[in-house]
Amino acid sequence: MSKTQAERPSFGTDLPPAGGSAEGVPPLSRAVRRHLGQNLRGHYADSLSAPVSERLEALIAQLDKPGR
């Protein structure tokens, strides 16, 4: 049986601002950061090596235009 919205844990609601750390929460250890990084790289390796769609290329080109 799936949980209702109220029963699910709310993730991200008590996160610190980007680049900061929550008061009283210790930073992640070097080993944990390394483990997370390796797993994320492994997870996204295929998508990073896949060709970029024409639509995404067009959007990226718009970002490169001066005055934006």
Side-chain angles (χ1 to χ4, degrees):
M1 179 180 271
S2 65
K3 293 182 178 183
T4 64
Q5 184 79 19
E7 295 174 321
R8 292 185 190 130
S10 59
F11 297 107
T13 56
D14 57 350
L15 292 176
S21 62
E23 194 172 316
V25 177
L28 297 176
S29 71
R30 178 175 288 172
V32 170
R33 291 192 316 265
R34 185 180 315 114
H35 175 78
L36 289 172
Q38 289 171 344
N39 282 296
L40 287 169
R41 280 189 293 277
H43 181 73
Y44 288 105
D46 292 337
S47 62
L48 291 174
S49 63
V52 177
S53 71
E54 289 181 23
R55 174 70 178 137
L56 187 54
E57 283 184 14
L59 291 171
I60 292 169
Q62 287 180 8
L63 290 174
D64 289 337
K65 289 181 183 176
R68 289 220 147 233

